[in-house]
Amino acid sequence: MELIDIIGFIAGICTATSLLPQLITTLKQKKAQEVSLFMFIVLLMGNALWIWFGVAKSELPIILTNSFSLLLNIIMLVLKYKYKDNE
Amino acid sequence: MELIDIIGFIAGICTATSLLPQLITTLKQKKAQEVSLFMFIVLLMGNALWIWFGVAKSELPIILTNSFSLLLNIIMLVLKYKYKDNE
């Protein structure tokens, strides 16, 4: 593995973990009204397209980062639905 | 420009614009306490590393997306400092 791929992985960890605080807050407060459903769908689409881009370019850092973000965003979407009555 | 690069640009627009709602909310409410300073610095570091990755791999979609995100995050950091007394 080249240095630049390690750079890509670290970048991915930084940007993907930025979703965690919001996920944790949502779990604690059992509320998810700050973020709009539309924004989540846009984010999910972006993650999916980045995965397509990463696969086409064989760039593992992009694939793994966006797969992890996609997973976190799907969990947020489920929580947003689960807690919709608490909003 | 190949199809896959267009896919990358669309992915970038989707994921970068996801920062906008929070920026707009911060400007409206003149408050930025929801997001921690630490998380912003992690995000900025991630954007900067992705730009480095994009330049090394000559991937324009990655460079432009993360430059735009870096700009939005710097604005958020300035707002967070500017409105720190409102928290």
Side-chain angles (χ1 to χ4, degrees), chain B residues 9-77:
Chain B
F9 279 117
I10 298 169
I13 290 165
C14 289
T15 46
T17 47
S18 65
L19 297 166
L20 286 176
Q22 188 160 22
L23 186 61
I24 293 163
T25 308
T26 302
L27 285 168
K28 273 189 199 162
Q29 294 177 353
K30 298 200 184 322
K31 271 194 305 183
Q33 90 275 14
E34 303 99 37
V35 187
S36 75
L37 191 61
F38 170 73
M39 215 55 255
F40 266 120
I41 292 164
V42 168
L43 253 176
L44 283 177
M45 232 173 51
N47 291 142
L49 289 172
W50 274 124
I51 293 169
W52 181 359
F53 181 85
V55 168
K57 302 267 182 174
S58 319
E59 293 293 0
L60 205 53
I62 297 173
I63 299 166
L64 292 183
T65 299
N66 285 278
S67 304
F68 180 62
S69 299
L70 190 74
L71 177 67
L72 291 186
N73 281 318
I74 288 171
I75 293 170
M76 273 303 284
L77 212 56

Side-chain angles (χ1 to χ4, degrees), chain A residues 53-85:
Chain A
F53 181 84
V55 168
K57 301 268 183 174
S58 319
E59 293 292 1
L60 204 54
I62 297 173
I63 299 165
L64 293 182
T65 298
N66 285 279
S67 304
F68 181 62
S69 299
L70 189 74
L71 177 67
L72 291 186
N73 281 316
I74 289 171
I75 293 170
M76 273 303 283
L77 212 55
V78 168
L79 292 179
K80 190 160 176 66
Y81 178 75
K82 189 180 165 192
Y83 297 141
K84 68 181 184 311
D85 300 330

